[in-house]
Amino acid sequence: MAGRPSSRARVLLIAGRPGTGRTALAREFARRFRADGGCPDGVLRTVLTEPGGDPVPVERAARELLGALGAPAPPGADADESCEALRAVLADRRVLLILDDAASAEQVAELIPDGRGCTVLVVARGPLTGVADVRPCTVGALDQHAALRLLARGAGSTRITVDPRAAERLAEACAHLPAALLLAAGWLAAHPDAAVARAARAMTAPPPGVADPGDPVEGGSEAGAGTPVEPGDGPLERAFHLALSALRPPAARVLRLLVLAPAGLVDAHTAAALAGCSVGAARRALRGFALLGLVRPVDPPERTASPDASSGGTGAPGAGGGAGDPWPLYEVPGCLDPLLRDLVRRHERPADVLLARARVLERTVRRLVACRAAGEPEGSPARERSAALPSTLRFSSREEAARWLTDRLPSLSASARLAVADGELDTLARRLIAALAAALTVHRGEDGAAPELYHLHELMLGVAERQGLDGERAAALLDLGDLDLATGRARQALERYRAALDALRGLGGPGTPPPVGRALESIAGAHAELGDPQRAADWYGRALSRAQATGDRDAEARLHGVLGQAHALTGEWRPALLSWRAAAAVHRRRGDPRGHAAALAEVARVRGCAGEFEEALRAGYDALRAARAAGDRRLEGRVRLRLADDAQRLGLPADARAHRRAGEALLRGGGPADG
């Protein structure tokens, strides 16, 4: 922390190879730094490398951080926009931002806040050349005393004291590497009657043989004599296979399949789906893996970039972590990820891997269906359908479902991305995307879910294009266009709408007609947003013709109205008047008195704008009678105010005052007006 003040956020670096305890050091620093008041606005953490080694796009990292801060980026924002929004939100805050497992200096540079109140803690393999004023701390092996203390966590101090030479040999065999020491300590914890010398011998002279991959049967992860240790290239590999030897074959298979979990996050549901075993067996297996140091429990603050929780705490019941959580979440340490992936390549057939992924997607879809249903009203069709799901998939309340959705969103989003990228499970991928979009919309509303929905629509578009599904491609393009238009990208929205229309033109035949009318109306709306009312009116006219041809009275009435608005914007009063009269007629035929009255009020307004004040007054009285018949007091009040203006222009001040008093009383919620 020492050093000269910086003009922007301080950047601290913990550099070291995976397995040196660099992430654990970052978590401990965060705990102490927050306790000392260094980050009163909280701790944010994001991981910048995917399981498997791919770097996380900066845009996604910034978007997740913004979401955790309650200030999501606009839907469809690129990396520059997202990072700029993140810097703006953090400008007046004092947070500790942990950028774990950074893949490059470019990633880090984009995410550094401008404000001096923030501190950035980067965890990476080596130096961050290109980032100014980085204050590095390099970590590696522990000293002998610290290594023995770490072994004592599993072996107990008595076993270390009884045979200190064996403990020293074991620590040396682990090269004093924290991750290897934790695995050895886990093996000792799983074998409370075994001498430390036995672990030391296994690490220094492993017998030949490869662990039996086993079959996906019920079994848990109870420690036993197990399978022999497999030779490895280094201390971490040897310690890993030592811990693996404590597992029975079924549990060993569950373990290696965990690397298929999206975003590296796994709970009992995910583990059970991957291995094809029961949820209870998966839960027992995960607990055993945690004891051995093969997985790490993930507390709620570490799952999402949360500013409200300190690192290393326990979660509230139902929040997803801690002792009270019925479905705790775990992750495989990054240093073990390549070792487990190698086991999958050597012991699992590609067809079995594909089946495991399919089971995870299917279970995730069912869980999302239950999550959405929990947010629906009692007695709704979604609630009734979810009642048929197993009890382990259902939620007890809307609040529990919402917490689960927030807690699991990184892994759910990763599930969708991976399913689309895989390309072999497109049907399940489409179901997953649709279920996740529905759950987000129910629990967050369309506006709150918009940033996530944008990326889900992009994923759906990719699947639809790959599969040649023109209908779904058009639907995704229309949804993306709507979000683009709402965020001011009218030109991009117009391009999407036109592409959607092209995709829809080839559809037809029996069944539900394609939503060509929606595409036509959307194109018109984009032209209007771009300040081209003439083209907007032309496209609204095409949409109206489509609605009349298909007998869609609702769309016909609405489109007559928007055509009237478009003509009025260009001062074409006669076409505007004809459009609003037609709208009033369609509303009357539909049996919609409120719509009929509103259209008549627009007829009066257009007459007044055209300077036809006597005709406007007569049309206004027609609208007033219709509004009274519809029982719409607010519309009646607005019509009264319009009548007051027209009466004033015609030299009828008494009538104008009466209408104005009555209109204002109606809009204030007063009693009925006379006259």
Side-chain angles (χ1 to χ4, degrees):
M1 296 295 293
R4 62 182 179 82
S6 173
S7 59
R8 58 191 312 200
R10 292 171 294 180
V11 182
L12 313 179
L13 169 65
I14 299 176
R17 294 182 297 114
T20 55
R22 54 188 189 167
T23 297
L25 178 58
R27 291 199 303 272
E28 178 62 16
F29 174 84
R31 186 187 67 79
R32 297 191 188 188
F33 191 53
R34 183 164 189 174
D36 290 342
C39 49
D41 294 322
V43 178
L44 294 166
R45 176 177 177 262
T46 189
V47 181
L48 296 181
T49 300
E50 297 268 25
D54 293 331
V56 172
V58 172
E59 174 272 325
R60 190 201 308 165
R63 179 162 48 90
E64 291 179 355
L65 290 167
L66 282 166
L69 288 162
D78 59 18
D80 290 340
E81 292 174 305
S82 299
C83 291
E84 184 61 34
L86 177 63
R87 286 191 286 270
V89 171
L90 293 177
D92 299 322
R93 303 199 191 194
R94 293 180 61 193
V95 304
L96 173 64
L97 176 58
I98 301 177
L99 304 179
D100 202 354
D101 205 6
S104 67
E106 289 74 15
Q107 275 182 316
V108 173
E110 292 291 330
L111 296 171
I112 296 176
D114 290 328
R116 292 179 56 183
C118 295
T119 300
V120 180
L121 179 58
V122 184
V123 178
R125 283 179 176 267
L128 295 176
T129 305
V131 179
D133 298 325
V134 175
R135 305 171 196 186
C137 167
T138 303
V139 295
L142 301 177
D143 59 34
Q144 182 79 299
H145 178 67
L148 294 177
R149 287 178 58 194
L150 199 54
L151 285 175
R153 287 187 183 183
S157 58
T158 302
R159 279 196 281 182
I160 298 298
T161 303
V162 167
D163 197 349
R165 295 296 183 190
E168 291 174 0
R169 289 199 306 274
L170 180 57
E172 290 172 1
C174 293
H176 296 169
L177 190 67
L181 290 163
L182 282 174
L183 292 171
W187 185 90
L188 290 167
H191 296 80
D193 297 328
V196 177
R198 178 180 168 189
R201 286 195 301 271
M203 283 287 293
T204 55
V210 177
D212 185 358
D215 298 317
V217 297
E218 311 278 326
S221 61
E222 298 84 348
T227 52
V229 178
E230 184 178 345
D233 297 327
L236 180 59
E237 290 80 0
R238 291 173 180 268
F240 168 70
H241 289 291
L242 173 67
L244 192 63
S245 70
L247 301 178
R248 293 176 179 175
R253 185 171 190 269
V254 175
L255 175 68
R256 63 174 170 267
L257 289 174
L258 295 186
V259 295
L260 303 179
L265 300 173
V266 60
D267 60 8
H269 281 289
T270 305
L274 284 168
C277 65
S278 71
V279 174
R283 194 192 316 223
R284 291 191 296 273
L286 288 171
R287 289 172 179 166
F289 300 157
L291 176 67
L292 287 164
L294 292 165
V295 299
R296 181 176 70 86
V298 181
D299 293 313
E302 300 179 49
R303 302 188 194 177
T304 58
S306 170
D308 299 319
S310 61
S311 186
T314 57
D325 187 0
W327 308 109
L329 199 62
Y330 300 86
E331 67 179 0
V332 176
C335 59
L336 301 185
D337 184 85
L339 303 178
L340 288 171
R341 290 183 185 276
D342 182 63
L343 287 181
V344 169
R345 282 192 296 269
R346 290 193 284 119
H347 295 305
E348 298 292 335
R349 296 177 301 175
D352 292 335
V353 171
L354 186 64
L355 179 60
R357 287 175 172 157
R359 285 195 299 259
V360 169
L361 290 178
E362 180 63 40
R363 185 178 286 262
T364 304
V365 168
R366 298 171 75 193
R367 192 80 161 131
L368 283 167
V369 168
C371 180
R372 175 200 173 181
E376 297 281 3
E378 289 287 349
S380 64
R383 280 287 186 104
E384 293 175 1
R385 288 193 297 270
S386 71
L389 294 172
S391 60
T392 54
L393 294 176
R394 298 197 299 268
F395 297 91
S396 61
S397 66
R398 180 188 180 99
E399 292 72 24
E400 182 190 1
R403 284 196 303 268
W404 176 86
L405 182 62
T406 298
D407 196 39
R408 299 301 200 268
L409 188 55
S411 60
L412 293 170
S413 300
S415 294
R417 290 194 304 271
L418 292 173
V420 172
D422 184 86
E424 297 186 79
L425 299 168
D426 280 347
T427 299
L428 277 170
R430 288 157 53 208
R431 290 177 56 205
L432 174 64
I433 293 168
L436 179 53
L440 285 167
T441 302
V442 165
H443 287 282
R444 299 186 175 186
E446 291 189 1
D447 291 340
E452 293 295 334
L453 292 178
Y454 194 93
H455 294 280
L456 291 176
H457 294 325
E458 286 184 321
L459 292 174
M460 184 67 84
L461 177 61
V463 177
E465 289 178 340
R466 183 164 61 213
Q467 293 291 326
L469 304 172
D470 287 339
E472 293 188 20
R473 175 171 172 263
L477 285 166
L478 289 171
D479 289 334
L480 286 167
D482 291 344
L483 291 171
D484 283 328
L485 195 64
T487 50
R489 295 188 295 270
R491 185 77 52 191
Q492 185 171 334
L494 180 60
E495 293 175 1
R496 293 195 191 275
Y497 291 146
R498 287 184 178 277
L501 181 60
D502 291 340
L504 289 169
R505 280 174 173 156
L507 299 178
T512 304
V516 173
R518 182 192 169 192
L520 294 169
E521 190 173 348
S522 297
I523 292 173
H527 279 300
E529 191 70 23
L530 288 168
D532 192 346
Q534 196 64 48
R535 287 190 179 179
D538 178 53
W539 282 96
Y540 279 131
R542 298 185 195 186
L544 175 60
S545 299
R546 174 79 181 184
Q548 291 170 331
T550 58
D552 189 345
R553 296 297 184 191
D554 292 343
E556 184 181 352
R558 183 183 67 257
L559 287 165
H560 275 303
V562 294
L563 262 175
Q565 292 174 345
H567 288 309
L569 285 173
T570 59
E572 298 175 318
W573 306 119
R574 184 56 51 186
L577 181 62
L578 293 174
S579 293
W580 280 115
R581 281 178 170 172
V586 177
H587 280 302
R588 187 176 63 250
R589 290 197 298 271
R590 292 175 60 244
D592 180 4
R594 200 276 172 201
H596 177 238
L600 289 177
E602 289 298 322
V603 170
R605 185 182 68 83
V606 170
R607 288 280 197 187
C609 291
E612 303 171 355
F613 301 121
E614 291 184 1
E615 291 83 353
L617 193 63
R618 285 194 292 270
Y621 280 114
D622 291 339
L624 180 61
R625 287 189 290 271
R628 284 178 169 176
D632 191 331
R633 298 175 66 81
R634 294 198 64 80
L635 177 59
E636 184 183 349
R638 292 195 296 271
V639 172
R640 288 274 195 179
L641 294 180
R642 170 63 61 182
L643 283 169
D645 292 340
D646 292 335
Q648 190 71 41
R649 293 189 185 99
L650 290 171
L652 303 170
D655 289 351
R657 286 193 297 272
H659 283 306
R660 194 169 304 281
R661 282 197 305 269
E664 290 173 350
L666 285 164
L667 293 176
R668 286 196 304 267
D674 296 329

